Amino acid sequence: MPDHLTGDPIADTKAPRVPLENRWDERKFAAKLVNPANRRKHRVIVVGTGLAGGSAGATLAEQGYHVVQFCFQDSPRRAHSVAAQGGINAAKNYRNDGDSVYRLFHDTVKGGDFRSRESNVYRLAQVSAQIIDQAVAQGVPFAREYGGLLDTRSFGGVQVQRTFYARGQTGQQLLIGAYQALSRQIDAGNVELHARTEMLDLVVVDGRARGIIARDLVTGEIETHLADAVVLATGGYGNVFYLSTNAKGSNATAIWRAHKRGAYFANPCFTQIHPTCIPRSGEHQSKLTLMSESLRNDGRIWVPKQQGDSRPPAEIPESERDYYLERLYPSFGNLVPRDIASRAAKNVCDAGFGVGPGGLGVYLDFADAIARLGRPAIEARYGNLFDMYQRITAEDPYTVPMRIYPAIHYTMGGLWVDYDLQSTIPGLFVIGEANFSDHGANRLGASALMQGLADGYFVLPATVNDYLGSTRLDDVRPEAAAPVEAEVRARIERLLAIKGTRSVDSFHRELGVLMWDHCGMSRTREGLRKALERVPELRAEFWRDVRIPGRGAELNQELEKANRVADFLELAELLLVDALAREESCGGHFREEHQTPDGEARRDDENFAYVAAWEYGEKPVLHREELVFDHVHPTQRSYT
Amino acid sequence: MKLTVRIWRQAGPAAEGRLVSYPVDGLSPDMSFLELLDVLNQELIAAGEEPVAFDHDCREGICGSCGVVINGQAHGPERTTSCQLHLRSFADGDVIDVEPWRAKGFPVIKDLVVDRSALDRIVQAGGYVSAPTGSAPDAHATPVPKPDADLAFDNATCIGCGACVAACPNGSATLFTAAKVTHLSLLPQGQPERAQRVLDMVDAMDAEGFGGCTNTGECVASCPKGIPFASISALNREFRKASRTGRR
C-alpha cells in the first residue's frame, strides 16, 4: 500500500511572465480595483493578529473594507510574533556595504536551499525597504545611532548589515506597531474585533471561501461569520512537537481545517530547528525558550573532548575542549547556518559528549569575548539575554558558559498559495508563517518578520482587491453554512462525551516525543515508518480515551487544547508522509540516507526541486509544483 | 519539593469565589510558577475535578498574557512575569496564595482569568500614530536623537499585562497609559496627534472605571518591564499642557 497518491502537477503559480524585476509591478497594474465607495460593502475575515494578520487587517480597513478580525488571545497584541527577538531584514543599503534588492533575494533563495520560488522571494526583497519606512512612521522605536539615523547589524552569517532591530525585542515592537494601526481602525469602526475567539472550520460555498465557524472561548458559543473573502494568518504548527519555542496556544487548527476543505498543504516536513535554545531541565518542561542567534557572533561553542566528562566547565582545560564547529567548519565557525549548527550539536550529544542534565546540551562560552572586549561591552550587546538565561537556569552566564540545545522553532511548510497568496480554494488567502511560500527548506534569521509584514501591509491588500474586483459574489444565505456549523458542534460534543482516562496533555506529549525522535533533526526511512504506524494508533486512543472535564458552553481550556491536539494528530501523519516522500536532504529536512561522505546534507535537484503540495483525501494526493531557478543557480551548500 | 497553593476558584463572573487549598508534591525548583499550575491541573484532571483556568501563552515573559497575584504581589516576589517566576523563589513547604488580578476595570471571567480588554480600548482611543500603509517617507528622512529613541523604547516595552492595575490600591491604569503616551510623545512621528492623544487616552481610562493615581508607586514596583515612575509625571505634564491648549 502506498502512503500517498500522485495527482496532476501544478502548472501555473500565476506570477506574471515578465522579467523578475517587473513581476510585482506588472501584477499590481493588472490587478482589478474596487471603487472606494464600494469597498465598505465587502466584508473580509482575517484570522490571527500577529505581524501578518494585524498588518493585513489594518491595511484592508484603511482601504475601506469592513474587516472582521479574530484572535484566540485576549488581545491582538499578544500574538506570538511578539516573542521574536533578533531583527528584521531590509534591502536599504544604509550601510553602503553593497546590499541591494537583488542581493537580499539571492541570499534568501540560497538560504532556503533552493526550495522556494524566485518570484515570491524577489517581491519580498523589493517591499522589504518599505516595511522599515512604514514601521518608523508608526513610531516603532528601532535602535538608532547618535546621529539619529537607524542602526543595523548583521545576522545569521550574512555578509552585509541589513538587519534592523529594537534591542532584543524587535518582534514585540513591530507587532505593537501593527496592533496600534489595527486599534486605530477598530476605533474608526472599520474593524470588528473578536478576541478570545477561535476559528474551527472554513465555510466553502460554490467552491469559494465565504466564512468561518468560530468558538467564543468565553461563552463556548459556536458562531458562523460570513464574508466575501477569508484571510488566514494563524502562524505555524511547530507545537505538533509539543516542546517548541512557540507560544502554548499556537496551533494548526485553522489551516488544518481549511486543508480538509480543499486547500493544499505544502512542504509540511520543512521544520526549522533552532540551535540556540535553553536545554530542558526536566520532565515537567512545558515550553522551550530561545536565546537570540546573535549570541553566536561572540560565543564559542564547545564540548569536552572526553565522553561523559562531568567536571564543571572551568575545570576542563583548553586542551581538553572540542570547539567542534570551528574544527568542522573553519571558514564559518560558530556562525554556520541554523540547520548545520543544530545537527552538529545533536551529533556530539548523541555520541556522548553532551553536557548538563541528560547530556543534551553544549556550551556557548563567552569567556574569550569577555576577556577580549570586557564585560561592559558584552553586557551592552547581550545583557537582556544573559539576564533571561540566568532567570531560567539560575546560572550566571558571565562566569559559567551557557548551555544550549536545538529546539523546534519555525515551520516553513504551510498552506500552498499562488503568487497572489491565494490558496487552492478561491477567496481563501493565507499569509505569514501559515503559508509556505518564501523560506524554502530553511529560514534565514530576521526573515520571518519581514515576510509577515510584507504579506500583510503590501502584498495581500493588492491581491484581495483584485479578487473582490474581478469576482461576482452573490450573498450567502446563512443556511449554506449550517452543515459545517453542525459538524463543528458534533465534533465538540463527541470530544466531551469520551470521558476517558488520559489527559489531553499526555497525548500531546507522547505525540511530541514521537515526532521529535523520528521526524526531528534527522530522519530515516525506518524511523518515519515506525512513527507512521504509531500515529494512527495514538489518534485512535485519543478519540477513545481522552478526558475533558467541564462543559462546552463555558470557558474550557482543556476542550480548547483537545480540539487542537486532535488536529495535530492528523497533521503529524501528513508531515511524516511528506518527509518519507522527499528522498533527499535539504535545509531543515535531513534524511540520513541522503548525505555526502562528510555527513553533509545531499540535495537532489534533479528529482526534488519541487514544492510538495498535498491534497486531502483518504490517502494524501501529491501535486508537484516544479521550481525553476533562472537567476540563482543551485549549488551544493558548503560551509567548510 | 512540596508546596501548598491556595487558589482562587470562581466558576464564572456571577459565581461566588473562594480560596481552595491544594498540596502539590514532587516539584522541582527549576519549574516555572505556571508549570506548578500545570502539574496541579494534571492531578485535578486525573481526580475527575475541574482544572484551574489561567491565562498564559508565550511563557517567555513577553506576550503579557499571564499574571496572577501571588502572596499579595502581582506576579509574585520577583520582578518578572508569572511565567518567568521559578519555584526556587520559594522554600520547601511554603503555603502560597494565588489570586486573579483584582480591579474594577478587570472583571473575573473564571478562576484566575480576568478580562483586560479595557486596556485595548485605552489604546484604541488614541494610542497610535495615524500612518496609513504605503504613504511613509524614507525611514532616514526624520532623524531621532538616540536618547529620545532609547527612552521611547523603554516605555514601548510595556507588555500590557495589567500588573500595574492589580498592584495599585486604586486600581489605576495610569502607568500603562503613561507608558504609551510617553513612547509616542518622544518621537517626531507622534507630534501631530500629541495633545489629542493624551486627552483621549485619559478620558478612555477614566471611562473604563480605573481609579485615579495617587503616586503610591506600587505599579512601578510590580512592573515586570521596569516602566519608570517618571513616565507618570510625563503623562501629567502632557495632560496639563494639552488641557491648556484645549485641543479636541
Side-chain angles (χ1 to χ4, degrees), chain A residues 305-558:
Chain A
K305 274 186 180 164
Q306 198 191 320
Q307 284 169 334
D309 189 339
S310 58
R311 286 176 292 173
E315 287 174 24
I316 301 177
E318 206 56 36
S319 61
E320 294 176 38
R321 298 176 176 191
D322 179 12
Y323 295 89
Y324 60 89
L325 288 178
E326 297 168 33
R327 172 170 59 83
L328 293 166
Y329 307 98
S331 55
F332 278 74
N334 296 296
L335 288 171
V336 289
R338 292 178 176 180
D339 58 316
I340 291 179
S342 296
R343 217 156 40 241
K346 178 187 192 302
N347 290 342
V348 294
C349 292
D350 287 351
F353 298 97
V355 299
L360 293 177
V362 299
Y363 290 125
L364 176 62
D365 198 339
F366 287 85
D368 280 4
I370 291 172
R372 189 176 72 245
L373 303 163
R375 179 170 163 151
I378 295 298
E379 274 179 24
R381 278 183 203 176
Y382 310 113
N384 61 331
L385 296 167
F386 277 43
D387 294 347
M388 183 172 88
Y389 181 86
Q390 181 156 19
R391 176 161 293 290
I392 292 172
T393 63
E395 289 174 0
D396 175 13
Y398 290 104
T399 54
V400 183
M402 286 183 180
R403 287 175 295 109
I404 54 166
Y405 196 68
I408 297 288
H409 181 52
Y410 188 93
T411 45
M412 284 77 71
L415 292 186
W416 186 91
V417 287
D418 61 17
Y419 189 67
D420 285 354
L421 305 181
Q422 188 166 214
S423 73
T424 48
I425 302 175
L428 179 70
F429 294 82
V430 190
I431 58 177
E433 193 180 353
N435 77 21
F436 88 102
S437 66
D438 295 3
H439 304 302
N442 193 36
R443 185 181 69 81
L444 294 177
S447 65
L449 305 188
M450 178 172 62
Q451 189 218 342
L453 292 178
D455 288 1
Y457 281 136
F458 299 106
V459 180
L460 182 91
T463 60
V464 164
N465 236 339
D466 178 68
Y467 175 75
L468 294 175
S470 59
T471 311
R472 199 194 124 101
L473 293 161
D474 296 324
D475 281 347
V476 183
R477 286 174 306 117
E479 302 89 82
V484 191
E485 193 182 307
E487 270 183 58
V488 169
R489 285 180 195 280
R491 176 181 154 116
I492 285 179
E493 277 160 30
R494 191 176 153 210
L495 279 168
L496 288 165
I498 298 168
K499 298 190 193 305
T501 62
R502 280 183 68 178
S503 71
V504 177
D505 279 11
S506 78
F507 283 103
H508 196 174
R509 277 176 191 270
E510 187 176 339
L511 176 69
V513 171
L514 195 69
M515 294 302 285
W516 176 251
D517 285 351
H518 299 302
C519 201
M521 262 185 286
S522 82
R523 296 127 189 225
T524 63
R525 195 171 301 124
E526 202 193 347
L528 291 166
R529 285 245 161 266
K530 217 161 131 184
L532 262 176
E533 269 171 43
R534 180 62 190 142
V535 168
E537 291 171 7
L538 191 63
R539 195 164 59 225
E541 279 169 47
F542 174 88
W543 282 100
R544 197 170 55 235
D545 198 25
V546 73
R547 169 180 288 189
I548 304 160
R551 298 172 301 121
E554 61 176 356
L555 184 137
N556 186 336
Q557 295 174 327
E558 287 298 306

Side-chain angles (χ1 to χ4, degrees), chain A residues 62 75 77-78 92 94 133 139 148 150 167 179-180 196 248-249 286-287 391-392 503 547 555 557, chain B residues 35 42 45-46 54-55 57-60 88 110 120 131 133 138-140 144 154 158 160 180 183:
Chain A
E62 276 164 14
S75 163
R77 66 176 296 149
R78 309 209 198 279
K92 279 284 200 187
Y94 279 165
D133 299 339
L150 293 160
R167 278 185 220 162
Y179 157 76
Q180 287 173 183
R196 288 197 197 268
K248 293 291 285 177
S286 62
K287 169 73 179 40
R391 176 161 293 290
I392 292 172
S503 71
R547 169 180 288 189
L555 184 137
Q557 295 174 327
Chain B
E35 285 166 348
Q42 292 299 304
I45 292 166
F54 63 98
D55 264 328
D57 203 16
C58 79
R59 297 200 177 193
E60 293 182 22
R88 63 180 84 95
K110 185 177 181 178
D120 288 321
T133 310
D138 184 273
H140 267 183
V144 182
D154 289 342
C158 168
K180 187 47 57 191
H183 160 207

Side-chain angles (χ1 to χ4, degrees), chain A residues 55-67 69 181-182 185-186 189-191:
Chain A
S55 58
T59 309
L60 289 168
E62 276 164 14
Q63 291 190 340
Y65 293 111
H66 184 76
V67 174
Q69 188 114 19
L182 187 66
Q185 296 301 326
I186 293 170
N190 302 331
V191 172

